[in-house]
Amino acid sequence: MTLREALLEAVERLERHRVSSPRLNAEVMLAHCLSVDRTYLYTHDDRVLSGEEYQRFEDALSERISGVPVQYIVGRQEFYGRYFLVTPAVLIPRPETEYIVETVLELQPAPGDAIIDVGAGSGCIGLTLSLEIPHAHVTIADISLEALLVAKTNAAQLGAPASIVCMDVLDAVRGLFDFVVSNPPYVNPAETSRLQREVREHEPHVALFAPDEGFDVIRRLIPSAVRLLNPGGYLIMEIGLGMEERVLDLFGPPWEKLPTKADLQGIPRTVVARRKRGQ
Ligand SMILES: C[S@@+](CC[C@H](N)C(=O)[O-])C[C@H]1O[C@@H](n2cnc3c(N)ncnc32)[C@H](O)[C@@H]1O
C-alpha cells in the first residue's frame, strides 16, 4: 500500500468514527510512524509502506479511534513555537495557556528575575519562560512526581535551565519570586460529564479537577503567593469559564488587580495581580 492509499483509507475510517480533523490526524500519525515530517507524505506519496510501518500506523489509528488524543499517540505538542514531550501523566498544553507566557513577557521581566510555575505539568509555561527570558531563575513545581519526570525530560531536551520541586501548591518552597505563574486544575468535579470524552478519559484527573467547585488550588495559591512574592511581583494565573468574579474576590490587600485577559473566544482567561509595594 502506498502512503497516498494508506492516508485515504485512514481518513475514511477516522471520519466513520467521527474523529475530528480526520485528515490532519491521519497525516500527523502517519508522519510519526515513519519518523518523517508531514511534507514528506506529499513528496513521497507513491512510496510503499513496509509491513512493519503499516502495522505501526494501524496501531496508532486504532488508539485514536478508541479516543486516545493524538498528542499522546505521537508523544508531543507544540507550545509557544516549541515541541514538548507529553505523556498521559501530563495535561496536553492548550493554546490559551500561551497568554500566561505573553503576559509575563509584556511585563518585561528583568534578567535574573525569579519565576515559579505552580502546577507545571509538562513544564510548558515555566520552561518557555526559562528560554525566553535571559538569565531568569525558573522553578517548576507540581504535586505529581510523574508529571515532573516529563518536565525534567523537556527541560533537558530543550536546554531550559530550571529547578524542579515536588510539592502541594507552594508549601515547600523558600525564597522570594518576582513572578508566580500557574495554570492550576480548575474543573469542578461535579461537571465531569460536561468534559469531552477524550479529556475525561485520558488526561490526568489531578491536572483537571480541583475540589471546592474547582476553586481549591486557586484559593490556596493566592495567599501563598503573597508570602513568596517580592513587593511589586506578579501572580498570573489561568482560570476557567465563569470563574472570574469569584477569583477576583479572593484578591484583597496587598493585591492590585489588573485587567483579566480574554482568550480568542472572549472568555476571561488570564488573571493578573500585582503585590503592591510597601504592604
Ligand atoms: C491544568 S494542569 C497544567 C499543566 C501545565 N502547566 C499546562 O499549562 O499545560 C495542572 C497541573 O497542576 C498540578 N497540580 C494539581 N494539584 C496540585 C497541587 N495541589 N499542587 C501543585 N500542583 C498541582 C497537576 O499535577 C497538573 O500538572
PDB file of all heavy atoms in Angstrom, residues 79 89-94 97 117-125 141-144 147 167-170 182-186 206-209 216-217 220 238, ligand 1:
ATOM      1  N   PHE A  79       3.964  24.200  21.831  1.00  0.00           N
ATOM      2  CA  PHE A  79       3.550  25.280  22.743  1.00  0.00           C
ATOM      3  C   PHE A  79       4.524  26.427  22.550  1.00  0.00           C
ATOM      4  O   PHE A  79       5.740  26.243  22.684  1.00  0.00           O
ATOM      5  CB  PHE A  79       3.586  24.783  24.195  1.00  0.00           C
ATOM      6  CG  PHE A  79       3.110  25.807  25.201  1.00  0.00           C
ATOM      7  CD1 PHE A  79       1.750  25.957  25.471  1.00  0.00           C
ATOM      8  CD2 PHE A  79       4.011  26.614  25.870  1.00  0.00           C
ATOM      9  CE1 PHE A  79       1.306  26.918  26.391  1.00  0.00           C
ATOM     10  CE2 PHE A  79       3.578  27.570  26.792  1.00  0.00           C
ATOM     11  CZ  PHE A  79       2.226  27.714  27.050  1.00  0.00           C
ATOM     12  N   ALA A  89       0.727  11.294  31.760  1.00  0.00           N
ATOM     13  CA  ALA A  89       0.967  11.842  33.107  1.00  0.00           C
ATOM     14  C   ALA A  89       0.783  13.353  33.144  1.00  0.00           C
ATOM     15  O   ALA A  89       0.751  13.943  34.226  1.00  0.00           O
ATOM     16  CB  ALA A  89       2.385  11.494  33.569  1.00  0.00           C
ATOM     17  N   VAL A  90       0.703  13.978  31.966  1.00  0.00           N
ATOM     18  CA  VAL A  90       0.592  15.450  31.954  1.00  0.00           C
ATOM     19  C   VAL A  90      -0.571  15.911  31.089  1.00  0.00           C
ATOM     20  O   VAL A  90      -0.957  15.242  30.124  1.00  0.00           O
ATOM     21  CB  VAL A  90       1.888  16.133  31.452  1.00  0.00           C
ATOM     22  CG1 VAL A  90       3.063  15.806  32.354  1.00  0.00           C
ATOM     23  CG2 VAL A  90       2.211  15.789  29.996  1.00  0.00           C
ATOM     24  N   LEU A  91      -1.089  17.085  31.436  1.00  0.00           N
ATOM     25  CA  LEU A  91      -2.102  17.718  30.594  1.00  0.00           C
ATOM     26  C   LEU A  91      -1.482  18.063  29.242  1.00  0.00           C
ATOM     27  O   LEU A  91      -0.308  18.429  29.178  1.00  0.00           O
ATOM     28  CB  LEU A  91      -2.564  19.017  31.266  1.00  0.00           C
ATOM     29  CG  LEU A  91      -3.779  19.676  30.638  1.00  0.00           C
ATOM     30  CD1 LEU A  91      -5.056  19.159  31.298  1.00  0.00           C
ATOM     31  CD2 LEU A  91      -3.736  21.193  30.746  1.00  0.00           C
ATOM     32  N   ILE A  92      -2.254  17.960  28.193  1.00  0.00           N
ATOM     33  CA  ILE A  92      -1.774  18.398  26.874  1.00  0.00           C
ATOM     34  C   ILE A  92      -1.831  19.931  26.868  1.00  0.00           C
ATOM     35  O   ILE A  92      -2.903  20.504  27.105  1.00  0.00           O
ATOM     36  CB  ILE A  92      -2.671  17.813  25.755  1.00  0.00           C
ATOM     37  CG1 ILE A  92      -2.597  16.285  25.774  1.00  0.00           C
ATOM     38  CG2 ILE A  92      -2.258  18.371  24.397  1.00  0.00           C
ATOM     39  CD1 ILE A  92      -3.703  15.598  24.989  1.00  0.00           C
ATOM     40  N   PRO A  93      -0.703  20.607  26.650  1.00  0.00           N
ATOM     41  CA  PRO A  93      -0.731  22.080  26.679  1.00  0.00           C
ATOM     42  C   PRO A  93      -1.750  22.647  25.683  1.00  0.00           C
ATOM     43  O   PRO A  93      -1.883  22.145  24.563  1.00  0.00           O
ATOM     44  CB  PRO A  93       0.701  22.468  26.281  1.00  0.00           C
ATOM     45  CG  PRO A  93       1.533  21.294  26.660  1.00  0.00           C
ATOM     46  CD  PRO A  93       0.659  20.090  26.422  1.00  0.00           C
ATOM     47  N   ARG A  94      -2.478  23.675  26.121  1.00  0.00           N
ATOM     48  CA  ARG A  94      -3.513  24.292  25.300  1.00  0.00           C
ATOM     49  C   ARG A  94      -3.027  25.650  24.789  1.00  0.00           C
ATOM     50  O   ARG A  94      -2.297  26.349  25.495  1.00  0.00           O
ATOM     51  CB  ARG A  94      -4.787  24.527  26.122  1.00  0.00           C
ATOM     52  CG  ARG A  94      -5.329  23.302  26.867  1.00  0.00           C
ATOM     53  CD  ARG A  94      -5.821  22.239  25.921  1.00  0.00           C
ATOM     54  NE  ARG A  94      -6.828  21.359  26.505  1.00  0.00           N
ATOM     55  CZ  ARG A  94      -6.605  20.193  27.109  1.00  0.00           C
ATOM     56  NH1 ARG A  94      -5.366  19.741  27.232  1.00  0.00           N
ATOM     57  NH2 ARG A  94      -7.599  19.459  27.583  1.00  0.00           N
ATOM     58  N   THR A  97      -3.187  28.816  27.022  1.00  0.00           N
ATOM     59  CA  THR A  97      -2.223  28.946  28.130  1.00  0.00           C
ATOM     60  C   THR A  97      -1.014  29.791  27.710  1.00  0.00           C
ATOM     61  O   THR A  97      -0.286  30.317  28.556  1.00  0.00           O
ATOM     62  CB  THR A  97      -1.829  27.526  28.607  1.00  0.00           C
ATOM     63  OG1 THR A  97      -3.032  26.852  28.991  1.00  0.00           O
ATOM     64  CG2 THR A  97      -0.895  27.554  29.791  1.00  0.00           C
ATOM     65  N   ASP A 117       6.584  28.362  38.429  1.00  0.00           N
ATOM     66  CA  ASP A 117       5.410  27.840  37.723  1.00  0.00           C
ATOM     67  C   ASP A 117       4.798  26.761  38.615  1.00  0.00           C
ATOM     68  O   ASP A 117       5.394  25.709  38.831  1.00  0.00           O
ATOM     69  CB  ASP A 117       5.868  27.263  36.371  1.00  0.00           C
ATOM     70  CG  ASP A 117       4.739  26.612  35.574  1.00  0.00           C
ATOM     71  OD1 ASP A 117       3.580  26.669  36.010  1.00  0.00           O
ATOM     72  OD2 ASP A 117       5.047  26.045  34.492  1.00  0.00           O
ATOM     73  N   VAL A 118       3.601  27.043  39.132  1.00  0.00           N
ATOM     74  CA  VAL A 118       2.947  26.113  40.061  1.00  0.00           C
ATOM     75  C   VAL A 118       1.966  25.240  39.282  1.00  0.00           C
ATOM     76  O   VAL A 118       1.072  25.756  38.611  1.00  0.00           O
ATOM     77  CB  VAL A 118       2.195  26.893  41.167  1.00  0.00           C
ATOM     78  CG1 VAL A 118       1.561  25.919  42.156  1.00  0.00           C
ATOM     79  CG2 VAL A 118       3.124  27.851  41.874  1.00  0.00           C
ATOM     80  N   GLY A 119       2.135  23.931  39.371  1.00  0.00           N
ATOM     81  CA  GLY A 119       1.317  23.015  38.575  1.00  0.00           C
ATOM     82  C   GLY A 119       1.867  22.970  37.162  1.00  0.00           C
ATOM     83  O   GLY A 119       1.157  23.154  36.171  1.00  0.00           O
ATOM     84  N   ALA A 120       3.160  22.694  37.082  1.00  0.00           N
ATOM     85  CA  ALA A 120       3.893  22.868  35.814  1.00  0.00           C
ATOM     86  C   ALA A 120       3.548  21.816  34.763  1.00  0.00           C
ATOM     87  O   ALA A 120       3.709  22.058  33.572  1.00  0.00           O
ATOM     88  CB  ALA A 120       5.398  22.854  36.087  1.00  0.00           C
ATOM     89  N   GLY A 121       3.109  20.632  35.183  1.00  0.00           N
ATOM     90  CA  GLY A 121       2.780  19.580  34.213  1.00  0.00           C
ATOM     91  C   GLY A 121       3.968  19.285  33.314  1.00  0.00           C
ATOM     92  O   GLY A 121       5.079  18.996  33.787  1.00  0.00           O
ATOM     93  N   SER A 122       3.775  19.402  32.009  1.00  0.00           N
ATOM     94  CA  SER A 122       4.871  19.158  31.051  1.00  0.00           C
ATOM     95  C   SER A 122       5.993  20.176  31.197  1.00  0.00           C
ATOM     96  O   SER A 122       7.070  19.999  30.619  1.00  0.00           O
ATOM     97  CB  SER A 122       4.323  19.246  29.627  1.00  0.00           C
ATOM     98  OG  SER A 122       3.819  20.555  29.397  1.00  0.00           O
ATOM     99  N   GLY A 123       5.720  21.270  31.908  1.00  0.00           N
ATOM    100  CA  GLY A 123       6.712  22.339  32.064  1.00  0.00           C
ATOM    101  C   GLY A 123       6.561  23.407  30.998  1.00  0.00           C
ATOM    102  O   GLY A 123       7.402  24.307  30.898  1.00  0.00           O
ATOM    103  N   CYS A 124       5.472  23.338  30.222  1.00  0.00           N
ATOM    104  CA  CYS A 124       5.375  24.218  29.045  1.00  0.00           C
ATOM    105  C   CYS A 124       5.490  25.700  29.397  1.00  0.00           C
ATOM    106  O   CYS A 124       6.185  26.443  28.688  1.00  0.00           O
ATOM    107  CB  CYS A 124       4.102  23.921  28.253  1.00  0.00           C
ATOM    108  SG  CYS A 124       2.587  24.121  29.189  1.00  0.00           S
ATOM    109  N   ILE A 125       4.881  26.144  30.496  1.00  0.00           N
ATOM    110  CA  ILE A 125       4.927  27.580  30.807  1.00  0.00           C
ATOM    111  C   ILE A 125       6.319  27.943  31.348  1.00  0.00           C
ATOM    112  O   ILE A 125       7.007  28.810  30.806  1.00  0.00           O
ATOM    113  CB  ILE A 125       3.854  27.969  31.867  1.00  0.00           C
ATOM    114  CG1 ILE A 125       2.461  27.545  31.422  1.00  0.00           C
ATOM    115  CG2 ILE A 125       3.913  29.458  32.156  1.00  0.00           C
ATOM    116  CD1 ILE A 125       1.394  27.674  32.512  1.00  0.00           C
ATOM    117  N   ALA A 141       7.143  23.540  39.610  1.00  0.00           N
ATOM    118  CA  ALA A 141       6.658  22.771  40.750  1.00  0.00           C
ATOM    119  C   ALA A 141       5.366  22.055  40.381  1.00  0.00           C
ATOM    120  O   ALA A 141       4.556  22.572  39.605  1.00  0.00           O
ATOM    121  CB  ALA A 141       6.401  23.718  41.917  1.00  0.00           C
ATOM    122  N   ASP A 142       5.179  20.899  40.957  1.00  0.00           N
ATOM    123  CA  ASP A 142       3.942  20.149  40.711  1.00  0.00           C
ATOM    124  C   ASP A 142       3.762  19.159  41.855  1.00  0.00           C
ATOM    125  O   ASP A 142       4.730  18.731  42.476  1.00  0.00           O
ATOM    126  CB  ASP A 142       4.013  19.393  39.375  1.00  0.00           C
ATOM    127  CG  ASP A 142       2.634  19.119  38.788  1.00  0.00           C
ATOM    128  OD1 ASP A 142       1.907  18.275  39.364  1.00  0.00           O
ATOM    129  OD2 ASP A 142       2.268  19.748  37.769  1.00  0.00           O
ATOM    130  N   ILE A 143       2.518  18.784  42.104  1.00  0.00           N
ATOM    131  CA  ILE A 143       2.249  17.778  43.136  1.00  0.00           C
ATOM    132  C   ILE A 143       2.510  16.371  42.586  1.00  0.00           C
ATOM    133  O   ILE A 143       2.677  15.420  43.342  1.00  0.00           O
ATOM    134  CB  ILE A 143       0.793  17.912  43.653  1.00  0.00           C
ATOM    135  CG1 ILE A 143       0.639  17.262  45.020  1.00  0.00           C
ATOM    136  CG2 ILE A 143      -0.210  17.363  42.647  1.00  0.00           C
ATOM    137  CD1 ILE A 143      -0.650  17.642  45.731  1.00  0.00           C
ATOM    138  N   SER A 144       2.550  16.252  41.260  1.00  0.00           N
ATOM    139  CA  SER A 144       2.687  14.933  40.627  1.00  0.00           C
ATOM    140  C   SER A 144       4.145  14.680  40.231  1.00  0.00           C
ATOM    141  O   SER A 144       4.700  15.380  39.381  1.00  0.00           O
ATOM    142  CB  SER A 144       1.787  14.877  39.378  1.00  0.00           C
ATOM    143  OG  SER A 144       2.246  13.885  38.490  1.00  0.00           O
ATOM    144  N   ALA A 147       4.445  13.768  36.566  1.00  0.00           N
ATOM    145  CA  ALA A 147       4.456  14.939  35.678  1.00  0.00           C
ATOM    146  C   ALA A 147       5.835  15.586  35.682  1.00  0.00           C
ATOM    147  O   ALA A 147       6.362  15.975  34.631  1.00  0.00           O
ATOM    148  CB  ALA A 147       3.389  15.946  36.127  1.00  0.00           C
ATOM    149  N   MET A 167       5.682  19.470  45.183  1.00  0.00           N
ATOM    150  CA  MET A 167       5.004  19.975  46.394  1.00  0.00           C
ATOM    151  C   MET A 167       3.536  20.293  46.109  1.00  0.00           C
ATOM    152  O   MET A 167       3.117  20.391  44.959  1.00  0.00           O
ATOM    153  CB  MET A 167       5.714  21.225  46.916  1.00  0.00           C
ATOM    154  CG  MET A 167       5.687  22.385  45.971  1.00  0.00           C
ATOM    155  SD  MET A 167       6.515  23.815  46.704  1.00  0.00           S
ATOM    156  CE  MET A 167       6.600  24.867  45.274  1.00  0.00           C
ATOM    157  N   ASP A 168       2.820  20.461  47.212  1.00  0.00           N
ATOM    158  CA  ASP A 168       1.419  20.837  47.153  1.00  0.00           C
ATOM    159  C   ASP A 168       1.347  22.372  47.105  1.00  0.00           C
ATOM    160  O   ASP A 168       1.800  23.030  48.047  1.00  0.00           O
ATOM    161  CB  ASP A 168       0.730  20.282  48.401  1.00  0.00           C
ATOM    162  CG  ASP A 168      -0.757  20.571  48.424  1.00  0.00           C
ATOM    163  OD1 ASP A 168      -1.300  21.037  47.399  1.00  0.00           O
ATOM    164  OD2 ASP A 168      -1.382  20.335  49.476  1.00  0.00           O
ATOM    165  N   VAL A 169       0.816  22.928  46.050  1.00  0.00           N
ATOM    166  CA  VAL A 169       0.743  24.375  45.811  1.00  0.00           C
ATOM    167  C   VAL A 169       2.143  24.980  46.019  1.00  0.00           C
ATOM    168  O   VAL A 169       3.065  24.649  45.292  1.00  0.00           O
ATOM    169  CB  VAL A 169      -0.368  25.045  46.647  1.00  0.00           C
ATOM    170  CG1 VAL A 169      -0.546  26.510  46.270  1.00  0.00           C
ATOM    171  CG2 VAL A 169      -1.696  24.326  46.366  1.00  0.00           C
ATOM    172  N   LEU A 170       2.315  25.839  47.060  1.00  0.00           N
ATOM    173  CA  LEU A 170       3.649  26.443  47.250  1.00  0.00           C
ATOM    174  C   LEU A 170       4.213  26.066  48.616  1.00  0.00           C
ATOM    175  O   LEU A 170       5.080  26.760  49.148  1.00  0.00           O
ATOM    176  CB  LEU A 170       3.534  27.970  47.131  1.00  0.00           C
ATOM    177  CG  LEU A 170       3.432  28.521  45.707  1.00  0.00           C
ATOM    178  CD1 LEU A 170       2.929  29.966  45.706  1.00  0.00           C
ATOM    179  CD2 LEU A 170       4.784  28.467  45.000  1.00  0.00           C
ATOM    180  N   SER A 182       0.745  30.238  36.988  1.00  0.00           N
ATOM    181  CA  SER A 182       0.095  28.952  37.203  1.00  0.00           C
ATOM    182  C   SER A 182      -1.086  28.741  36.263  1.00  0.00           C
ATOM    183  O   SER A 182      -1.867  29.661  36.017  1.00  0.00           O
ATOM    184  CB  SER A 182      -0.426  28.858  38.649  1.00  0.00           C
ATOM    185  OG  SER A 182      -0.970  27.573  38.881  1.00  0.00           O
ATOM    186  N   ASN A 183      -1.169  27.527  35.756  1.00  0.00           N
ATOM    187  CA  ASN A 183      -2.406  27.058  35.129  1.00  0.00           C
ATOM    188  C   ASN A 183      -2.871  25.909  36.021  1.00  0.00           C
ATOM    189  O   ASN A 183      -2.541  24.759  35.798  1.00  0.00           O
ATOM    190  CB  ASN A 183      -2.137  26.569  33.699  1.00  0.00           C
ATOM    191  CG  ASN A 183      -3.372  25.947  33.066  1.00  0.00           C
ATOM    192  OD1 ASN A 183      -4.492  26.143  33.542  1.00  0.00           O
ATOM    193  ND2 ASN A 183      -3.166  25.171  32.010  1.00  0.00           N
ATOM    194  N   PRO A 184      -3.607  26.245  37.091  1.00  0.00           N
ATOM    195  CA  PRO A 184      -3.954  25.222  38.076  1.00  0.00           C
ATOM    196  C   PRO A 184      -5.103  24.344  37.588  1.00  0.00           C
ATOM    197  O   PRO A 184      -5.796  24.702  36.627  1.00  0.00           O
ATOM    198  CB  PRO A 184      -4.408  26.058  39.273  1.00  0.00           C
ATOM    199  CG  PRO A 184      -4.990  27.284  38.652  1.00  0.00           C
ATOM    200  CD  PRO A 184      -4.218  27.549  37.390  1.00  0.00           C
ATOM    201  N   PRO A 185      -5.335  23.208  38.250  1.00  0.00           N
ATOM    202  CA  PRO A 185      -6.557  22.463  37.919  1.00  0.00           C
ATOM    203  C   PRO A 185      -7.740  23.306  38.381  1.00  0.00           C
ATOM    204  O   PRO A 185      -7.708  23.844  39.490  1.00  0.00           O
ATOM    205  CB  PRO A 185      -6.423  21.184  38.764  1.00  0.00           C
ATOM    206  CG  PRO A 185      -5.471  21.519  39.853  1.00  0.00           C
ATOM    207  CD  PRO A 185      -4.581  22.612  39.358  1.00  0.00           C
ATOM    208  N   TYR A 186      -8.759  23.465  37.523  1.00  0.00           N
ATOM    209  CA  TYR A 186      -9.884  24.314  37.940  1.00  0.00           C
ATOM    210  C   TYR A 186     -11.248  23.789  37.501  1.00  0.00           C
ATOM    211  O   TYR A 186     -12.243  24.511  37.527  1.00  0.00           O
ATOM    212  CB  TYR A 186      -9.676  25.762  37.482  1.00  0.00           C
ATOM    213  CG  TYR A 186      -9.371  25.969  36.001  1.00  0.00           C
ATOM    214  CD1 TYR A 186     -10.312  25.692  35.019  1.00  0.00           C
ATOM    215  CD2 TYR A 186      -8.139  26.475  35.596  1.00  0.00           C
ATOM    216  CE1 TYR A 186     -10.035  25.911  33.675  1.00  0.00           C
ATOM    217  CE2 TYR A 186      -7.846  26.689  34.255  1.00  0.00           C
ATOM    218  CZ  TYR A 186      -8.800  26.404  33.296  1.00  0.00           C
ATOM    219  OH  TYR A 186      -8.530  26.618  31.966  1.00  0.00           O
ATOM    220  N   VAL A 206      -5.787  14.694  38.192  1.00  0.00           N
ATOM    221  CA  VAL A 206      -5.148  15.658  39.107  1.00  0.00           C
ATOM    222  C   VAL A 206      -4.854  16.972  38.382  1.00  0.00           C
ATOM    223  O   VAL A 206      -4.758  18.033  39.011  1.00  0.00           O
ATOM    224  CB  VAL A 206      -3.868  15.048  39.736  1.00  0.00           C
ATOM    225  CG1 VAL A 206      -2.787  14.789  38.683  1.00  0.00           C
ATOM    226  CG2 VAL A 206      -3.303  15.911  40.853  1.00  0.00           C
ATOM    227  N   ALA A 207      -4.738  16.921  37.060  1.00  0.00           N
ATOM    228  CA  ALA A 207      -4.463  18.135  36.275  1.00  0.00           C
ATOM    229  C   ALA A 207      -5.743  18.890  35.936  1.00  0.00           C
ATOM    230  O   ALA A 207      -5.698  20.070  35.596  1.00  0.00           O
ATOM    231  CB  ALA A 207      -3.735  17.770  34.986  1.00  0.00           C
ATOM    232  N   LEU A 208      -6.870  18.195  36.011  1.00  0.00           N
ATOM    233  CA  LEU A 208      -8.128  18.810  35.585  1.00  0.00           C
ATOM    234  C   LEU A 208      -8.950  19.327  36.761  1.00  0.00           C
ATOM    235  O   LEU A 208      -9.381  20.474  36.781  1.00  0.00           O
ATOM    236  CB  LEU A 208      -8.977  17.774  34.838  1.00  0.00           C
ATOM    237  CG  LEU A 208      -8.411  17.189  33.541  1.00  0.00           C
ATOM    238  CD1 LEU A 208      -9.274  16.013  33.076  1.00  0.00           C
ATOM    239  CD2 LEU A 208      -8.377  18.265  32.452  1.00  0.00           C
ATOM    240  N   PHE A 209      -9.156  18.437  37.743  1.00  0.00           N
ATOM    241  CA  PHE A 209     -10.170  18.706  38.768  1.00  0.00           C
ATOM    242  C   PHE A 209      -9.582  19.274  40.048  1.00  0.00           C
ATOM    243  O   PHE A 209      -8.496  18.870  40.473  1.00  0.00           O
ATOM    244  CB  PHE A 209     -10.916  17.419  39.112  1.00  0.00           C
ATOM    245  CG  PHE A 209     -11.610  16.808  37.925  1.00  0.00           C
ATOM    246  CD1 PHE A 209     -11.156  15.623  37.359  1.00  0.00           C
ATOM    247  CD2 PHE A 209     -12.719  17.436  37.368  1.00  0.00           C
ATOM    248  CE1 PHE A 209     -11.791  15.071  36.257  1.00  0.00           C
ATOM    249  CE2 PHE A 209     -13.360  16.888  36.257  1.00  0.00           C
ATOM    250  CZ  PHE A 209     -12.895  15.700  35.701  1.00  0.00           C
ATOM    251  N   ASP A 216     -10.295  25.042  44.771  1.00  0.00           N
ATOM    252  CA  ASP A 216      -9.414  24.716  45.893  1.00  0.00           C
ATOM    253  C   ASP A 216      -7.963  25.172  45.698  1.00  0.00           C
ATOM    254  O   ASP A 216      -7.382  25.820  46.568  1.00  0.00           O
ATOM    255  CB  ASP A 216      -9.448  23.194  46.145  1.00  0.00           C
ATOM    256  CG  ASP A 216      -8.441  22.784  47.187  1.00  0.00           C
ATOM    257  OD1 ASP A 216      -8.628  23.155  48.363  1.00  0.00           O
ATOM    258  OD2 ASP A 216      -7.442  22.123  46.839  1.00  0.00           O
ATOM    259  N   VAL A 217      -7.363  24.828  44.561  1.00  0.00           N
ATOM    260  CA  VAL A 217      -5.942  25.166  44.370  1.00  0.00           C
ATOM    261  C   VAL A 217      -5.781  26.682  44.235  1.00  0.00           C
ATOM    262  O   VAL A 217      -4.890  27.296  44.831  1.00  0.00           O
ATOM    263  CB  VAL A 217      -5.353  24.396  43.158  1.00  0.00           C
ATOM    264  CG1 VAL A 217      -3.907  24.813  42.911  1.00  0.00           C
ATOM    265  CG2 VAL A 217      -5.425  22.885  43.400  1.00  0.00           C
ATOM    266  N   ARG A 220      -5.933  28.439  47.558  1.00  0.00           N
ATOM    267  CA  ARG A 220      -4.722  28.278  48.378  1.00  0.00           C
ATOM    268  C   ARG A 220      -3.515  28.982  47.762  1.00  0.00           C
ATOM    269  O   ARG A 220      -2.604  29.398  48.461  1.00  0.00           O
ATOM    270  CB  ARG A 220      -4.432  26.783  48.581  1.00  0.00           C
ATOM    271  CG  ARG A 220      -5.498  26.136  49.467  1.00  0.00           C
ATOM    272  CD  ARG A 220      -5.129  24.750  49.883  1.00  0.00           C
ATOM    273  NE  ARG A 220      -5.152  23.790  48.814  1.00  0.00           N
ATOM    274  CZ  ARG A 220      -4.179  22.918  48.572  1.00  0.00           C
ATOM    275  NH1 ARG A 220      -3.097  22.899  49.312  1.00  0.00           N
ATOM    276  NH2 ARG A 220      -4.296  22.045  47.593  1.00  0.00           N
ATOM    277  N   GLU A 238      -4.188  31.142  35.053  1.00  0.00           N
ATOM    278  CA  GLU A 238      -5.310  30.825  34.143  1.00  0.00           C
ATOM    279  C   GLU A 238      -6.529  30.411  34.961  1.00  0.00           C
ATOM    280  O   GLU A 238      -6.394  29.745  35.995  1.00  0.00           O
ATOM    281  CB  GLU A 238      -4.891  29.682  33.208  1.00  0.00           C
ATOM    282  CG  GLU A 238      -5.967  29.361  32.189  1.00  0.00           C
ATOM    283  CD  GLU A 238      -5.470  28.424  31.101  1.00  0.00           C
ATOM    284  OE1 GLU A 238      -4.375  28.643  30.552  1.00  0.00           O
ATOM    285  OE2 GLU A 238      -6.203  27.452  30.813  1.00  0.00           O
TER     286      GLU A 238
HETATM  287  C1  LIG B   1      -4.105  22.270  34.320  1.00  0.00           C
HETATM  288  S1  LIG B   1      -2.618  21.348  34.579  1.00  0.00           S
HETATM  289  C2  LIG B   1      -1.431  22.493  33.932  1.00  0.00           C
HETATM  290  C3  LIG B   1      -0.207  21.853  33.375  1.00  0.00           C
HETATM  291  C4  LIG B   1       0.682  22.813  32.575  1.00  0.00           C
HETATM  292  N1  LIG B   1       1.121  23.916  33.412  1.00  0.00           N
HETATM  293  C5  LIG B   1      -0.055  23.345  31.379  1.00  0.00           C
HETATM  294  O1  LIG B   1      -0.457  24.516  31.415  1.00  0.00           O
HETATM  295  O2  LIG B   1      -0.238  22.620  30.399  1.00  0.00           O
HETATM  296  C6  LIG B   1      -2.475  21.497  36.329  1.00  0.00           C
HETATM  297  C7  LIG B   1      -1.229  20.900  36.963  1.00  0.00           C
HETATM  298  O3  LIG B   1      -1.295  21.163  38.358  1.00  0.00           O
HETATM  299  C8  LIG B   1      -0.859  20.027  39.084  1.00  0.00           C
HETATM  300  N2  LIG B   1      -1.487  20.069  40.405  1.00  0.00           N
HETATM  301  C9  LIG B   1      -2.729  19.639  40.779  1.00  0.00           C
HETATM  302  N3  LIG B   1      -2.945  19.883  42.075  1.00  0.00           N
HETATM  303  C10 LIG B   1      -1.822  20.478  42.545  1.00  0.00           C
HETATM  304  C11 LIG B   1      -1.434  20.968  43.815  1.00  0.00           C
HETATM  305  N4  LIG B   1      -2.252  20.885  44.874  1.00  0.00           N
HETATM  306  N5  LIG B   1      -0.203  21.498  43.958  1.00  0.00           N
HETATM  307  C12 LIG B   1       0.639  21.587  42.885  1.00  0.00           C
HETATM  308  N6  LIG B   1       0.330  21.144  41.658  1.00  0.00           N
HETATM  309  C13 LIG B   1      -0.889  20.612  41.487  1.00  0.00           C
HETATM  310  C14 LIG B   1      -1.261  18.834  38.224  1.00  0.00           C
HETATM  311  O4  LIG B   1      -0.463  17.717  38.506  1.00  0.00           O
HETATM  312  C15 LIG B   1      -1.069  19.399  36.807  1.00  0.00           C
HETATM  313  O5  LIG B   1       0.208  19.093  36.318  1.00  0.00           O
END
